[in-house]
Amino acid sequence: MARQRQRDGDRLIEVSGVTKRFGEVKALDGVSFGVSRGELFGFLGPNGAGKTTTINILTGLARADTGKVRIAGIDCVENHGAAQHLIGIVPDESNLYPELSGFDNLCFCASLYGIRRDERRKRALRLLELFGLSGAAGRRFGGYSKGMKRKLTIAAGIVHRPEILFLDEPTTGIDVASARQIRRLIADLNGRGTTVFLTTHYIEEAERLCGRIAFIVRGRIVEVDSVSDLLRPMQDWQSLVLAVSDSPGDLARRLADAFPEHDFTPDSEGMVRVDSRREVRLGPLVRFIEREGAVVTEARRLRPSLEDVFVRITGIEADLMRSEKEGGVRR
């Protein structure tokens, strides 16, 4: 309890009872949470859940209809935009200038915060080196790869050395190697003391990076807790995946009839997932499947993951979240 009181007393972001409507649509419905100084805080939810609306309110790009928002003790409802100097923003789409070089983009962003010319040049060069972009400093931003654009956009978000960095879907749509580099950069920034507020559709990314997570669904916070505490109830569960030669849907139904103590879930990749609070013995399952005229081509056990927790709490499949982000429109 003492640790919790200390954390609450050092809250950098406090959100209480925030609501926001767009016409007849209630985008946020009584949203409340807090982020402590130095945290790497994850904000997860499907398309339209209210993630970007929340970030826009926190960063002064939108106003809440009701509720309270405080950043570093500043009332951001009464003093709209008063905390801008404390905030760095990395939107899900780059807001930098394609005709300017990487170096000039960073210098321009620094000038917006009143940083002197000699100092902004030093910071730009330092950030280009930190983000592995020194070799592309003089190239037009419009010619950068997606991964390079994302890295420079993050660099621009921290050029004024903000206390809080808001990252909206930082690794969506980029290659695996660039995504891995960006995750390392985010962890390094947080390790140096920057408070990070991260939204992402990739639950495994949040599990890897974040200390605490909030789940938001249909404009409401349904859970806020540390990753370790969210995972704890799943430790009692056993899970495995079976690759089968038969239709996984039909086979899952037959398995559920034969083994009612377990849960069986088919997927479109020819797999059947088994979840249970009891011991899952592979031998009886394989023998039953073979008697049904099918073959098990692969079997592997799964460790509990944040994705499992998310699905159980929200009822929303993580694969749906990913496909929505990669192919849909979001608010």
Side-chain angles (χ1 to χ4, degrees):
M1 291 298 292
R3 184 178 180 182
Q4 183 66 38
R5 284 195 297 271
Q6 181 183 8
R7 175 185 291 174
D8 291 348
D10 198 27
R11 284 279 168 88
L12 199 55
I13 300 173
E14 296 178 274
V15 178
S16 178
V18 166
T19 63
K20 179 68 178 178
R21 283 185 176 275
F22 295 97
E24 297 299 314
V25 177
K26 184 176 277 189
L28 299 179
D29 186 5
V31 167
S32 299
F33 63 89
V35 180
S36 298
R37 192 178 303 275
E39 271 200 284
L40 207 169
F41 185 82
F43 204 57
L44 305 185
N47 257 10
K51 300 187 302 299
T52 299
T53 300
T54 301
I55 281 190
N56 287 344
I57 289 172
L58 287 171
T59 56
L61 299 176
R63 290 180 181 269
D65 295 334
T66 61
K68 297 180 180 180
V69 177
R70 299 182 74 86
I71 295 179
I74 298 170
D75 187 331
C76 296
V77 175
E78 293 295 325
N79 302 297
H80 189 65
Q84 290 297 306
H85 63 291
L86 302 173
I87 292 170
I89 307 168
V90 181
D92 60 347
E93 295 292 338
S94 175
N95 55 356
L96 300 182
Y97 292 94
E99 68 275 13
L100 295 182
S101 69
F103 175 78
D104 288 339
N105 262 298
L106 292 183
C107 288
F108 176 74
C109 290
S111 71
L112 297 177
Y113 290 95
I115 299 170
R116 292 182 308 172
R117 186 171 184 272
D118 57 341
E119 176 61 21
R120 60 184 182 241
R121 291 174 66 87
K122 288 179 184 177
R123 292 192 188 186
L125 291 171
R126 193 177 303 124
L127 285 168
L128 286 164
E129 182 178 1
L130 175 66
F131 282 71
L133 295 171
S134 295
R139 286 170 49 190
R140 291 176 60 256
F141 178 72
Y144 280 18
S145 68
K146 286 184 178 180
M148 292 168 67
K149 285 180 178 178
R150 178 55 67 192
K151 286 191 281 187
L152 194 76
T153 306
I154 296 173
I158 63 171
V159 70
H160 59 301
R161 298 174 181 167
E163 288 193 48
I164 310 164
L165 181 63
F166 289 91
L167 291 163
D168 196 4
E169 308 286 353
T171 61
T172 296
I174 62 176
D175 62 274
V176 173
S178 294
R180 188 178 296 116
Q181 288 178 339
I182 287 170
R183 284 193 291 268
R184 283 199 297 266
L185 288 167
I186 293 169
D188 288 345
L189 289 169
N190 180 243
R192 296 177 187 184
T194 304
T195 302
V196 178
F197 187 102
L198 170 72
T199 74
T200 178
H201 272 62
Y202 302 125
I203 297 178
E204 66 277 11
E205 181 171 84
E207 182 177 357
R208 188 177 306 171
L209 287 172
C210 300
R212 283 197 311 137
I213 301 284
F215 294 149
I216 183 169
V217 179
R218 299 184 186 91
R220 293 186 177 186
I221 301 291
V222 296
E223 190 73 57
V224 183
D225 214 333
S226 67
V227 172
S228 58
D229 285 346
L230 287 168
L231 288 171
R232 188 164 290 119
M234 298 299 298
Q235 303 302 321
D236 295 334
W237 284 79
Q238 291 193 19
S239 302
L240 58 84
V241 170
L242 305 173
V244 295
S245 61
D246 202 353
S247 166
D250 292 339
L251 194 54
R253 285 190 289 272
R254 284 177 272 164
L255 282 162
D257 291 337
F259 302 92
E261 68 276 17
H262 303 327
D263 295 332
F264 297 90
T265 307
D267 72 16
S268 58
E269 302 296 325
M271 312 285 280
V272 175
R273 175 170 173 145
V274 189
D275 297 288
S276 183
R277 288 189 179 275
R278 300 186 180 184
E279 180 185 4
V280 179
R281 298 172 59 200
L282 182 59
L285 295 178
V286 171
R287 288 192 289 272
F288 176 84
I289 290 169
E290 289 176 345
R291 286 198 299 271
E292 294 293 306
V295 176
V296 176
T297 58
E298 180 187 356
R300 54 188 170 87
R301 293 199 176 270
L302 304 175
R303 68 172 184 85
S305 70
L306 190 64
E307 183 172 308
D308 299 321
V309 176
F310 180 85
V311 171
R312 289 190 179 278
I313 289 176
T314 67
I316 297 169
E317 291 293 336
D319 287 345
L320 177 61
M321 279 180 60
R322 285 190 288 269
S323 64
E324 282 179 341
K325 177 56 189 174
E326 289 160 3
V329 178
R330 61 192 291 275
R331 167 174 287 166

